[in-house]
Amino acid sequence: RLTPEQRAQNTAIRVAFTKGTFYASPLLSLLFGIITAAVLLAIFNFILGAEVTFSRALAVTFYSGLPFIISSILLIISFLASSDPNTIDISGNPMPTNPGFFLDPEGNKALYSLASALDIFKIWFVILLGLGFATASTNRKPSTSTGIATVFVCYGILVLIGMGLKVAFS
């Protein structure tokens, strides 16, 4: 229903946004990794008594993110295989890797947020973080199960905060 001028303006805005996102994503990924490493370093060193250096924490955090490369490859394949790539919701749940993909995003927002957090790749990331931090400790004080459980608790807290914000501001 848009006029050709409005359609061209809409396309120009999308192109500018995509360029900005493309250039900012490495910086945001680096910032996310540093913050994640610092928070988990504090939790493991001060609460669990582990002895993990920041360089090891940063390495564990970035290596734990490798499953997201597989997720990106699967997303690219789904874009190439789709008859209409515009139907793929890139901002929400682009692939059926969590139960939230099958729910209505405009329905029950709390349930949708909780179901979306049960993503295969996010859970894989959390498990790798727990394994990595338990292994990276020089004194081996936290066990593997303690490391995984600790990171799952942190992830659960973040999911609940995100769910509350989504419900409060939607």
Side-chain angles (χ1 to χ4, degrees), residues 18-48:
T18 303
K19 279 185 183 179
T21 303
F22 180 75
Y23 289 125
S25 64
L27 295 174
L28 293 175
S29 297
L30 181 63
L31 183 65
F32 171 76
I34 290 171
I35 290 171
T36 303
V39 168
L40 289 176
L41 177 76
I43 290 171
F44 275 85
N45 281 349
F46 298 120
I47 296 176
L48 297 178

Side-chain angles (χ1 to χ4, degrees), residues 50-53 56-57 60 129-140 142:
E51 294 174 1
V52 182
T53 62
R56 282 188 179 193
V60 166
L129 275 175
L131 285 171
F133 271 93
T135 305
S137 174
T138 55
N139 65 0
R140 303 275 191 246

Side-chain angles (χ1 to χ4, degrees), residues 151-163:
V151 179
F152 262 113
V153 167
C154 294
Y155 179 66
I157 291 169
L158 288 176
V159 167
L160 291 175
I161 290 171
M163 185 174 61

